[in-house]
Amino acid sequence: MKLFSHSVEETHQIGKRLAAQLHPGDVLLMIGDMGAGKSELTRGIARGLGITGYVTSPTFTILQVHDEGRMPLYHFDWYRLSDVEELYELSMDEYLYGNGVSVVEWPSRAEEAIPECYLEVTLTPVDDSTREIAFRPVGGFHSLDVQQMTQEKEGSTEA
């Protein structure tokens, strides 16, 4: 399934609608270059989970935990990991199997830690404001309601 977002606000809305379909223990892998919109989509997911605080990219801390919503959000950024052992040493891998939603930016930096079941979300810039957002369930990840993902917000279209 692919959606197109034509603004940051629209990316937030897609994230909110995605959050409505997420369950405790879900893992989302965000794939995309710098500036593709991974953190913006995660901000929308956070709002959709009822998280009201500021959501920053955890580039320097590796993990930000947001637990004031209907379920926790574990926002990982593995860009600066030296190796997968760093995750294990800090017991961060336990969050991947926790009672919240885990969003992982730069998952290729620690592929050994990726669970068997996840949703791969690939963000690709089309132009300065448009992003293609592709969703691919892996390993038995539950189905998503395409209609719910594409309704309401102006400009969101399924491809």
Side-chain angles (χ1 to χ4, degrees), residues 93-157:
D93 58 309
E94 294 176 16
Y95 288 98
L96 288 173
Y97 302 97
N99 60 350
V101 172
S102 294
V103 173
V104 180
E105 296 186 35
W106 302 102
S108 62
R109 303 287 293 174
E111 290 179 346
E112 303 94 329
I114 297 171
E116 291 181 19
C117 180
Y118 58 87
L119 178 65
E120 183 180 278
V121 182
T122 303
L123 292 101
T124 306
V126 175
D127 58 36
D128 287 343
S129 60
T130 305
R131 301 292 183 265
E132 178 186 280
I133 305 172
F135 302 91
R136 185 175 73 93
V138 174
F141 190 88
H142 60 85
S143 62
L144 298 173
D145 182 344
V146 177
Q147 210 149 28
Q148 183 179 345
M149 293 291 296
T150 59
Q151 66 183 330
E152 292 177 8
K153 194 68 180 167
E154 64 282 341
S156 287
T157 57

Side-chain angles (χ1 to χ4, degrees), residues 50-95:
I51 296 164
T52 58
Y54 188 66
V55 177
T56 62
S57 180
T59 302
F60 295 100
T61 58
I62 302 174
L63 171 64
Q64 293 283 341
V65 177
H66 304 277
D67 56 6
E68 74 265 19
R70 70 175 172 91
M71 72 179 118
L73 172 65
Y74 309 123
H75 184 192
F76 291 90
D77 186 327
W78 291 353
Y79 186 77
R80 297 194 184 281
L81 284 180
S82 54
D83 59 36
V84 72
E85 290 305 314
E86 195 172 349
L87 278 178
Y88 298 133
E89 288 169 8
L90 300 170
S91 299
M92 289 186 188
D93 58 309
E94 294 176 16
Y95 288 98

